[in-house]
Amino acid sequence: MTIEQMREKLKQVLTEKRYSHSIGVMNTAVEMAEHYGADVEKTRIAALLHDCAKNYSSSEMFELCERYNVILDDITRSSRGLIHGFLGAVIAEKYYGVTDPEIYDAIYYHTIGKPDMSLITKIIYIADGIEPSRNFEGVDRIRDMVYEDIDRALVLQIDYTIRSVINKGGLLHTNTIDTRNFYLRKIR
């Protein structure tokens, strides 16, 4: 499937706002990939499809996870906002023909992170948080930092995510904490 075919298919399943966000993430991620020498086409696909499972209802998500044997831990099962990453990787494979493990990984971990991520996975994680429609206190600092030191920018993005989840009274996924600790040790 070509990138244009993916875009057309995605337009049919996402809200206009979510599709616009996905394009913003794609454009931001491509700029980062070019800056860091990552594979631009893999990055473009992962960024475009990162939210491909976002607009399913909770019941549809659980049904699809069961159908495709997507294992959800207790935290993810309790936090609907996390499911779309795990499910999205499978949807990218089944519905968009994505077979590259690096693209799969970037989609899978774009909401929770993981220690020792590939460059493309880091790019998708950060681009999701700093694309042009994002507007939160500290976003400009992350946008500036991302072109100086991607690992420092990653920690700043994770810190924002953690504060946001805590402020909303949500559960923190242990991967997010482990990811922050891994990269904080790395940059020290």
Side-chain angles (χ1 to χ4, degrees):
M1 185 176 288
T2 68
I3 195 83
E4 281 309 312
Q5 290 169 321
M6 290 177 187
R7 285 174 73 144
E8 287 306 311
K9 190 169 189 171
L10 209 54
K11 276 184 189 177
Q12 296 170 17
V13 297
L14 296 181
T15 64
E16 188 176 321
K17 183 177 178 182
R18 180 63 49 193
Y19 179 76
S20 179
H21 162 73
S22 295
I23 297 301
V25 172
M26 182 180 73
N27 293 335
T28 302
V30 165
E31 285 179 24
M32 292 169 62
E34 289 169 347
H35 179 80
Y36 283 103
D39 185 306
V40 172
E41 284 314 301
K42 285 183 183 184
T43 302
R44 185 184 318 277
I45 292 167
L48 178 65
L49 297 179
H50 81 283
D51 274 352
C52 66
K54 187 79 170 185
N55 284 106
Y56 290 114
S57 69
S58 292
S59 61
E60 289 171 320
M61 282 188 185
F62 287 118
E63 180 185 313
L64 287 166
C65 284
E66 192 169 312
R67 180 185 311 159
Y68 295 124
N69 298 313
V70 177
I71 307 299
L72 302 175
D73 58 42
D74 290 338
I75 294 170
T76 305
R77 191 170 284 288
S78 300
S79 303
R80 182 187 179 278
L82 298 179
I83 297 171
H84 77 279
F86 304 116
L87 179 59
V90 174
I91 296 298
E93 181 181 49
K94 303 281 186 196
Y95 294 78
Y96 295 86
V98 171
T99 58
D100 187 286
E102 198 169 11
I103 295 170
Y104 184 95
D105 208 51
I107 296 169
Y108 192 90
Y109 289 105
H110 86 271
T111 57
I112 63 167
K114 74 172 187 173
D116 205 18
M117 291 186 273
S118 74
L119 179 56
I120 291 174
T121 303
K122 285 192 250 188
I123 287 171
I124 302 308
Y125 187 97
I126 297 170
D128 187 28
I130 67 167
E131 60 94 0
S133 74
R134 298 292 197 193
N135 185 21
F136 57 86
E137 189 176 327
V139 70
D140 289 330
R141 183 171 174 220
I142 301 168
R143 287 177 180 140
D144 291 340
M145 179 60 70
V146 80
Y147 293 103
E148 295 172 30
D149 185 331
I150 195 166
D151 290 340
R152 287 184 189 281
L154 181 64
V155 170
L156 290 174
Q157 182 62 46
I158 293 169
D159 286 351
Y160 168 77
T161 299
I162 289 171
R163 281 192 302 275
S164 179
V165 170
I166 288 170
N167 288 339
K168 292 175 184 173
L171 297 172
L172 285 171
H173 198 283
T174 53
N175 262 54
T176 305
I177 297 164
D178 292 343
T179 303
R180 180 183 186 273
N181 290 342
F182 177 90
Y183 285 100
L184 200 53
R185 281 194 302 261
K186 185 176 178 188
I187 63 176
R188 283 187 174 164

